[in-house]
Amino acid sequence: MTAHPPIQRRDMAPRTARRGLRKTARCETRPPFETIALVLQGGGALGSYQAGVYDGLAEANLHPDWVAGISIGSINAAIIAGNPPERRADRLRDFWQQITTDYCSLLPFGGDVLESEGDFARAATNQASAFSALLLGAPGFFEPRMPPPWLQPSGSMGATSFFDTAKLKATIESLVDFDRLNSGEMRVSLGAVNVRSGNFVYFDTATHVIRPEHVMASGALPPGLPAIEIDGEHYWDGGLVSNTPLSWIVDDIPRDTLVFQVDLWSSRGKFPRSLADTFTREKEIRYSSRTRTVTDRFRHAQRMRNALACLLDNLPENLKSGPEMDLLQAEANRKVYNIIHLIYRSRVYEGDSKDYEFSRRSMEERWRAGYNDTLRTLRHPEVLERPQGLESVFTFDLAVDGRE
């Protein structure tokens, strides 16, 4: 029987040989990139995973030059950019402790029931916690409207959402130094949607002076939360159009960039076994698929730009001038990008309410998951090294490419 060589897909980038892990995640010198970007997806209560990721990056001595966020990612981004490096992780923890509740301490009979282990017990306590958020809100974040929206006057803001976010402004102002955020020390980009036009917009410190309203607008997910008015226009959560600001980073002026893309929704998952599983899986696909699409398209486009730059360098001199050449030169570049995916992998018991389940216990677990995933990822040396050859975009996902 004749042996045939394995078939290789043309669209698959060649994998590098496996190498040993670094002994530590800490970086003594800055990685060889012009920009280090932190990209934070929307996902409500899951956002403490992003705080854990930043905690890990800070411990590893990696500090972003640019942070971009949507929805809860915008709040985390504002806290990071609006504080000095040595206080950022602490301020993130202040925020997440303020908006979550330690339900165990509220029970007269103690927390033994809520501290129970096992998927069934955790599913029950998580659902109770999520129901509590729907009923009572989250401290310093949102609270139910009284009277409810269907009893509010038509045309009023109170008639357009179930919750009021007035307290969120005070929370943000207490945790973010907006003078520092707007100083240019770190670029900040927050995605939102114009309610009237439906256009996706970015509030960016390169073009805007960011205020608490811009942060709130990026996370104003209807019909739960109200639109936020800014300069006469109203804005909703940017996740309605795109739940990741990755494209805003990579479509900017080309520069060698190390991107930490922190996703709160995994595109991969099991086939549903129940209606509850169906709700969960639908939400995961709806909010995660944009990241995969943006990454795949950008990888292909940047490979073409790199190949074009090589081709133009080898043209004879008589072909290196003219309007057509000017157009091609503008598109060609040899910039490199490392896009490092840090993706929250939810537990089976979290269910479809995980993005509004604000218990202290779940927050701490998600924070630890982000912290641990970051340190494990940074032990892989290829994560911090520049891509070589035509493969000018390197991607890494610990769950797929990692090993111990």
Side-chain angles (χ1 to χ4, degrees), residues 376-391:
R376 291 174 61 204
T377 294
L378 292 175
R379 291 188 63 211
H380 292 263
E382 61 269 32
V383 164
L384 303 178
E385 296 174 351
R386 293 166 58 88
Q388 301 296 321
L390 288 178
E391 300 303 329

Side-chain angles (χ1 to χ4, degrees), residues 142-218:
F142 59 89
E143 59 185 2
R145 289 197 181 278
M146 291 297 172
W150 48 83
L151 297 180
Q152 300 268 2
S154 178
S156 67
M157 288 303 296
T160 64
S161 67
F162 291 105
F163 298 95
D164 180 26
T165 55
K167 291 184 178 179
L168 177 59
K169 183 177 180 182
T171 299
I172 293 172
E173 289 175 332
S174 70
L175 296 169
V176 178
D177 179 348
F178 280 89
D179 288 336
R180 173 181 284 273
L181 185 151
N182 288 295
S183 68
E185 176 183 347
M186 181 187 299
R187 185 171 174 182
V188 180
S189 308
L190 312 176
V193 177
N194 185 301
V195 177
R196 182 182 55 82
S197 69
N199 291 336
F200 192 43
V201 298
Y202 274 97
F203 305 121
D204 194 306
T205 50
T207 55
H208 295 73
V209 174
I210 302 298
R211 307 191 303 269
E213 292 81 3
H214 296 97
V215 182
M216 295 172 66
S218 181

Side-chain angles (χ1 to χ4, degrees), residues 94-152:
D94 289 343
F95 171 72
W96 283 99
Q97 288 183 336
Q98 180 173 346
I99 68 169
T100 56
T101 302
D102 183 3
Y103 292 101
C104 298
S105 65
L106 302 179
L107 297 178
F109 50 82
D112 292 343
V113 174
L114 295 184
E115 291 290 353
S116 300
E117 298 296 335
D119 290 350
F120 179 80
R122 285 304 306 275
T125 55
N126 279 28
Q127 287 297 323
S129 170
F131 179 74
S132 175
L134 292 178
L135 192 64
L136 304 174
F141 194 166
F142 59 89
E143 59 185 2
R145 289 197 181 278
M146 291 297 172
W150 48 83
L151 297 180
Q152 300 268 2

Side-chain angles (χ1 to χ4, degrees), residues 7 28 57 61 65 84 165 178 222 229 234 236 380 397:
I7 298 174
E28 298 302 331
L57 290 175
N61 195 33
D65 312 299
T165 55
F178 280 89
E229 183 178 359
H234 289 85
W236 273 335
H380 292 263
D397 177 356

Side-chain angles (χ1 to χ4, degrees), residues 245-357:
L246 178 61
S247 58
W248 187 250
I249 300 286
V250 298
D251 290 342
D252 197 65
I253 298 172
R255 52 175 68 86
D256 296 333
T257 305
L258 170 61
V259 180
F260 291 97
Q261 165 72 43
V262 189
D263 288 351
L264 303 178
W265 304 94
S266 175
S267 61
R268 295 182 174 88
K270 296 180 179 180
F271 188 82
R273 296 173 59 88
S274 66
L275 192 57
D277 290 347
T278 299
F279 288 136
T280 302
R281 191 72 194 113
E282 182 273 334
K283 190 179 284 188
E284 289 173 340
I285 293 172
R286 173 156 42 104
Y287 287 125
S288 70
S289 58
R290 182 77 65 172
T291 298
R292 183 175 62 251
T293 300
V294 170
T295 302
D296 291 345
R297 289 180 178 175
F298 178 70
R299 180 194 290 115
H300 176 74
Q302 190 59 26
R303 194 168 192 263
M304 294 300 102
R305 294 187 189 104
N306 195 346
L308 178 59
C310 295
L311 178 62
L312 295 180
D313 285 348
N314 290 293
L315 285 177
E317 290 299 323
N318 64 315
L319 295 178
K320 289 187 175 181
S321 62
E324 296 86 356
M325 181 56 62
D326 293 340
L327 183 63
L328 292 175
Q329 289 282 10
E331 292 298 319
N333 71 69
R334 288 195 175 90
K335 297 299 182 180
V336 297
Y337 297 78
N338 277 16
I339 301 176
I340 311 306
H341 295 282
L342 290 151
I343 305 173
Y344 179 62
R345 316 283 176 177
S346 61
R347 310 290 180 87
V348 65
Y349 54 74
E350 292 188 78
D352 68 302
S353 62
K354 56 190 173 185
D355 54 329
Y356 57 92
E357 195 273 294

